[in-house]
Amino acid sequence: SEYCVYDLLLESLLQDEPTLELRGISADIGCEENLMWVYDRELVSGVLSNAINNAVRYARSRLFLEAKISNKELIICIHDDGAGFPIDLLENGIREDHGVSFSNGNTGLGLYFSQVIAQLHRDNNRSGQINLSNSHKLGGACFSIILP
């Protein structure tokens, strides 16, 4: 169904508001308030929740959520001002066999399932994807979900 993307971003942040306040992290949204797109609200909300939780874990003091349409795709990005993604993850991408560490809470399952959820969103020959990069906006990590 078609939903308001700004509302999704705002609701995602509000779910983590107590944690953001406790950690002293400010969060801003960069998105047109009337931006509409077709997506599975429950699944994409779960992806954003996971990505925001990860960003809060590594952020020093700021998060920035943004959404825009480019090349007939919706791009939602979550930027933080932490240390950024490790080079190994950026170079090798998300793999099922990347190694799980329950001791530090890094199972990688959130990224794996986020990728699967993104790929479930299809339009003709295009399917959704996620992208990991280091943020040019805040200097930390940037998680993106791209939906056709």
Side-chain angles (χ1 to χ4, degrees), residues 25-77:
I25 296 172
S26 66
D28 296 303
I29 296 175
C31 175
E32 294 178 19
E33 290 188 23
N34 61 351
L35 178 62
M36 303 295 287
W37 202 256
V38 174
Y39 55 92
D40 184 302
R41 187 170 173 74
E42 284 295 313
L43 292 178
V44 174
S45 177
V47 168
L48 294 182
S49 177
N50 180 68
I52 290 170
N53 283 331
N54 285 339
V56 167
R57 181 196 272 158
Y58 296 105
R60 291 184 182 104
S61 64
R62 290 188 60 211
L63 294 184
F64 180 62
L65 280 63
E66 69 175 333
K68 63 184 176 184
I69 296 173
S70 178
N71 297 322
K72 298 182 181 179
E73 296 176 313
L74 173 66
I75 303 169
I76 299 174
C77 301

Side-chain angles (χ1 to χ4, degrees), residues 17-18 28 39 53 79 99 103 105 110 118-119 133:
E17 189 173 34
D28 296 303
Y39 55 92
N53 283 331
H79 303 268
S103 63
Q119 291 171 345
S133 62

Side-chain angles (χ1 to χ4, degrees), residues 107-126:
T107 64
L109 292 174
L111 288 175
Y112 173 74
F113 286 120
S114 293
Q115 182 171 291
V116 170
I117 288 168
Q119 291 171 345
L120 289 172
H121 288 78
R122 298 177 184 271
D123 182 33
N124 295 324
N125 295 331
R126 298 179 312 154

Side-chain angles (χ1 to χ4, degrees), residues 124-143:
N124 295 324
N125 295 331
R126 298 179 312 154
S127 63
Q129 60 185 319
I130 64 168
N131 183 50
L132 306 178
S133 62
N134 285 328
S135 175
H136 62 277
K137 296 203 178 202
L138 297 182
C142 177
F143 170 93

